[in-house]
């Protein structure tokens, strides 16, 4: 978006241009769809969701909120690792995802089961068994690599977890990860106190392993899970990243209710926003 948007005068008339009460700024195009669903559920005023093309631009717009009390808009971030490093500006009009990214809210057990059944896996006992394997694989990755991944994130180094499950297993059912599969990635030089502080912050947080894991990584596990367990009419499941995301967003409306583990978080956070409607 043009840099003009960062002037106070420009920011104050964006909602008028869209003829809405509130502008909500997000990171990217996929975030627009997700946050539109969230705000339609909990926010009573009219709004428009605008993506700024990345987190650095979103941080700039968030900083403007802190610097000018006359500005009234909402900024919605992925949580990422901000519970460990306080990287996000603090302001009442800044909201985050419950977990690492939007994918962590979309990819919950009920959604996984629904998609798996749509792909032909109808044996509920087998589905539960395979989900337990998937969950334990994520858990061992978080247990072994989270602290190092946060350290690398804080120091602008390459992520040790990354965005794809494939790096940890080149063959077989690649979402089946054991501790020995991670031996090449575990660092013995990580500061002990830093490791303890990250583990303590995680243990005291509301997050599960499926919440704290990188959202893109979680997405890749789901894609492989569906591919390997598909009992569809075809010999293999040809499901693209875009198709999977659209399916997740589609089934999300059906299971995002009080039973969803993130529901109350968004209800309380969006409900606490107090944006004055334009006169």
């Amino acid at each position: 978006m043009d840099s003009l948007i960062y002037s106070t005068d420009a920011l104050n008339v964006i909602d008028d241009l869209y003829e809405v009460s509130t502008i909500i700024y997000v990171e990217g195009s996929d975030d627009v769809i997700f946050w539109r669903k969230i705000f339609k559920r909990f926010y009573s005023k009219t709004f428009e969701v605008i993506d700024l093309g990345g987190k650095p631009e979103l941080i700039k717009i968030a900083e403007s909120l802190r610097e000018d009390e006359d500005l009234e808009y909402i900024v919605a971030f992925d949580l990422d690792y901000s519970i460990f490093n306080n990287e996000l500006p603090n302001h009442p009009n800044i909201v985050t995802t419950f977990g690492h990214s939007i994918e962590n809210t979309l990819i919950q057990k009920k959604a996984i089961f629904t998609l798996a059944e749509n792909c032909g896996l109808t044996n509920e006992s087998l589905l539960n068994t395979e989900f337990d394997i998937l969950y334990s694989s994520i858990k061992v990755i978080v247990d072994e690599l989270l602290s190092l991944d946060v350290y690398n994130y804080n120091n602008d180094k390459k992520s040790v977890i990354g965005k794809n499950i494939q790096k940890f297993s080149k063959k077989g059912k690649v979402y089946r990860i054991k501790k020995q599969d991670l031996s090449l990635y575990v660092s013995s030089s990580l500061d002990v106190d830093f490791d303890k502080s990250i583990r303590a912050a995680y243990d005291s947080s509301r997050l599960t392993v499926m919440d704290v894991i990188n959202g893109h990584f979680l997405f890749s596990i789901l894609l492989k899970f569906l591919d390997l367990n598909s009992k569809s009419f075809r010999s293999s499941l040809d499901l693209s990243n875009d198709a999977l995301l659209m399916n997740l967003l589609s089934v999300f409306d059906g299971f995002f209710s009080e039973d969803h583990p993130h529901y109350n978080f968004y209800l309380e956070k969006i409900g606490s926003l107090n944006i004055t409607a334009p006169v």
Side-chain angles (χ1 to χ4, degrees), residues 102-120:
I102 66 171
E103 290 86 355
N104 303 76
T105 291
L106 295 172
I107 303 173
Q108 293 293 316
K109 185 175 182 178
K110 188 174 290 188
I112 294 174
F113 277 38
T114 299
L115 294 180
E117 290 168 0
N118 290 344
C119 293

Side-chain angles (χ1 to χ4, degrees), residues 194-211:
F194 179 83
D195 181 43
K196 288 181 178 179
S197 69
I198 297 302
R199 291 180 184 274
Y202 170 60
D203 289 342
S204 64
S205 76
R206 64 191 185 280
L207 304 178
T208 69
V209 297
M210 288 188 65
D211 297 327

Side-chain angles (χ1 to χ4, degrees), residues 184-200:
L184 291 176
Y185 305 95
V186 176
S187 174
S188 59
S189 61
L190 186 65
D191 181 77
V192 173
D193 289 337
F194 179 83
D195 181 43
K196 288 181 178 179
S197 69
I198 297 302
R199 291 180 184 274

Side-chain angles (χ1 to χ4, degrees), residues 6 19 23 33 35 96 120 143 191 217 225:
Y6 298 123
E19 298 182 340
I23 296 295
I33 304 171
W35 284 110
T96 71
D143 288 346
D191 181 77
F217 188 89
F225 178 88

Side-chain angles (χ1 to χ4, degrees), residues 36-246:
R36 185 176 289 134
K37 288 177 178 292
I38 294 293
F39 275 86
K40 280 180 70 176
R41 183 68 62 94
F42 300 121
Y43 195 65
S44 60
K45 298 174 183 177
T46 58
F47 64 87
E48 182 65 35
V49 185
I50 300 175
D51 85 84
L52 295 184
K55 192 169 188 175
E57 296 303 304
L58 203 59
I59 288 178
K60 291 179 185 177
I61 211 83
E63 290 289 357
S64 296
L65 268 179
R66 295 202 309 170
E67 295 167 0
D68 191 335
E69 62 182 16
D70 292 328
L71 292 175
E72 290 196 332
Y73 49 80
I74 297 168
V75 185
F77 283 94
D78 282 343
L79 180 67
D80 294 331
Y81 284 149
S82 61
I83 66 166
F84 303 115
N85 57 24
N86 299 314
E87 69 172 333
L88 299 182
N90 183 29
H91 191 278
N93 291 358
I94 293 175
V95 299
T96 71
T97 53
F98 180 95
H100 184 279
S101 311
I102 66 171
E103 290 86 355
N104 303 76
T105 291
L106 295 172
I107 303 173
Q108 293 293 316
K109 185 175 182 178
K110 188 174 290 188
I112 294 174
F113 277 38
T114 299
L115 294 180
E117 290 168 0
N118 290 344
C119 293
L121 184 55
T122 57
N123 184 324
E124 188 169 346
S125 176
L126 176 59
L127 188 52
N128 274 292
T129 298
E130 293 300 322
F131 176 81
D132 289 344
I133 293 170
L134 178 148
Y135 190 91
S136 65
S137 296
I138 298 173
K139 185 177 187 306
V140 74
I141 291 169
V142 169
D143 288 346
E144 296 297 314
L145 299 180
L146 177 62
S147 293
L148 180 58
D149 207 49
V150 174
Y151 176 84
N152 286 358
Y153 181 87
N154 291 349
N155 291 277
D156 295 322
K157 295 184 177 182
K158 185 177 181 179
S159 171
V160 66
I161 292 177
K163 297 182 178 181
N164 199 312
I165 185 67
Q166 195 73 28
K167 70 180 287 184
F168 297 121
S169 181
K170 303 298 183 183
K171 59 184 179 180
K173 298 206 169 187
V174 297
Y175 60 87
R176 301 188 178 203
I177 305 299
K178 299 183 182 300
K179 184 175 180 178
Q180 55 265 32
D181 298 322
L182 308 177
S183 58
L184 291 176
Y185 305 95
V186 176
S187 174
S188 59
S189 61
L190 186 65
D191 181 77
V192 173
D193 289 337
F194 179 83
D195 181 43
K196 288 181 178 179
S197 69
I198 297 302
R199 291 180 184 274
Y202 170 60
D203 289 342
S204 64
S205 76
R206 64 191 185 280
L207 304 178
T208 69
V209 297
M210 288 188 65
D211 297 327
V212 76
I213 194 76
N214 181 290
H216 293 292
F217 188 89
L218 181 62
F219 186 91
S220 77
I221 296 177
L222 175 58
L223 188 62
K224 187 57 63 176
F225 178 88
L226 295 174
D227 182 29
L228 292 172
N229 287 295
S230 173
K231 305 298 181 184
S232 61
F233 295 111
R234 299 182 181 184
S235 58
S236 63
L237 183 67
D238 185 16
L239 186 63
S240 69
N241 287 350
D242 287 343
L244 178 55
L245 179 60
M246 291 304 103

Side-chain angles (χ1 to χ4, degrees), residues 239-257:
L239 186 63
S240 69
N241 287 350
D242 287 343
L244 178 55
L245 179 60
M246 291 304 103
N247 273 280
L248 283 168
L249 288 165
S250 178
V251 302
F252 181 66
D253 288 328
F255 76 88
F256 187 59
S257 63

